[in-house]
Amino acid sequence: MQIAEVRRFPVKSMLGDAVPDAWVDHRGLVGDRLWAVCDADGKLGSGKNTRRFRRMPGLFRLRAHAGEPVPIVELPDGRCFAADESAGHRAVSEVLGRPVTLVAETTIPHHDEGPVSLISTAALRALTGMCGGEPGGGDVDPLRFRANFLVDVPGSGFPEDDWFGRRLRVGRDVVLRVVRPLTRCVMIDMAQAPAVGRNDLLKALAERREMTFGVFATVERPGRVAVGSDVAFED
């Protein structure tokens, strides 16, 4: 098994970037989901409504890039703002149609369920067999699941189902402990360039997989992970 993609999302629930490598610490990928869009009542922008999160249509029209000392947010018209810039807050509010600010993580992590998320190419092929591939051809786009790591695994099926509780060594240094499956929401069917909108993926997962796809893991040993890094079980 090998790492096929590394993705980082500097602002939660916005589009992010595929990167050649990333550093991983005990919080997860450095800089991943470290910022979030915050509503007037303190709830964070997401694709679902929970005690902590609020669904905010329009977040996928925005893209966040890594920056120093804060991420850069790109608007649909191409304008870019630093995440802590007041003019940017106003511009993002206009796009979303509600007053919001961008806030950095404090004591409560912005992750939905855990520090690091993983999906496999085998599971994407299995889901493609259930629902069909993308309209333009090919398997279901891994971008839809916003995972940090896409793991290249031969065959077709859901190999992650056998990873729970196991330790994965990724590259030379990083060790992850797989905790449990990731529960999915309507975001996987939403359009996020280049993937177009559809309405069948969440329904299929609800009917056949209790709405789960992929897994999340905690970090037992930090280090660097790159595209092409080997992935192997340590137990």
Side-chain angles (χ1 to χ4, degrees), residues 23-168:
W23 286 93
V24 179
D25 61 19
H26 289 289
R27 182 192 168 275
L29 272 67
V30 173
D32 182 61
R33 296 170 170 90
L34 192 59
W35 286 68
V37 175
C38 185
D39 214 344
D41 62 0
K43 288 197 173 185
L44 303 181
S46 178
K48 56 189 174 184
N49 291 311
T50 69
R51 183 176 58 84
R52 293 178 55 208
F53 304 129
R54 170 159 291 142
R55 184 179 176 188
M56 294 187 190
L59 283 170
F60 280 172
R61 299 178 62 202
L62 304 162
R63 183 178 295 275
H65 307 280
E68 290 294 338
V70 300
I72 302 300
V73 175
E74 181 180 349
L75 273 61
D77 61 10
R79 287 181 294 159
C80 293
F81 297 91
D84 60 354
E85 192 173 345
S86 58
H89 295 187
R90 292 192 294 271
V92 171
S93 297
E94 291 174 5
V95 171
L96 298 180
R98 65 176 72 215
V100 297
T101 55
L102 275 72
V103 298
E105 183 177 283
T106 53
T107 56
I108 300 176
H110 288 165
H111 303 111
D112 283 9
E113 299 188 56
V116 176
S117 54
L118 306 94
I119 60 174
S120 74
T121 56
L124 288 171
R125 286 188 287 269
L127 185 59
T128 298
M130 291 163 55
C131 302
E134 296 294 343
D139 293 335
V140 173
D141 195 327
L143 175 64
R144 294 183 179 279
F145 299 94
R146 301 173 60 79
N148 295 128
F149 298 135
L150 172 64
V151 183
D152 189 14
V153 181
S156 177
F158 296 92
E160 299 97 314
D161 291 349
D162 297 324
W163 295 0
F164 309 144
R166 303 186 71 179
R167 300 169 79 224
L168 287 175

Side-chain angles (χ1 to χ4, degrees), residues 190-215:
M190 291 180 179
Q192 45 179 316
V196 301
R198 55 191 298 172
N199 60 8
D200 56 338
L201 297 178
L202 187 62
K203 179 180 179 181
L205 293 179
E207 291 176 347
R208 301 175 66 172
R209 294 197 47 82
E210 299 181 336
M211 292 180 66
T212 65
F213 189 88
V215 295

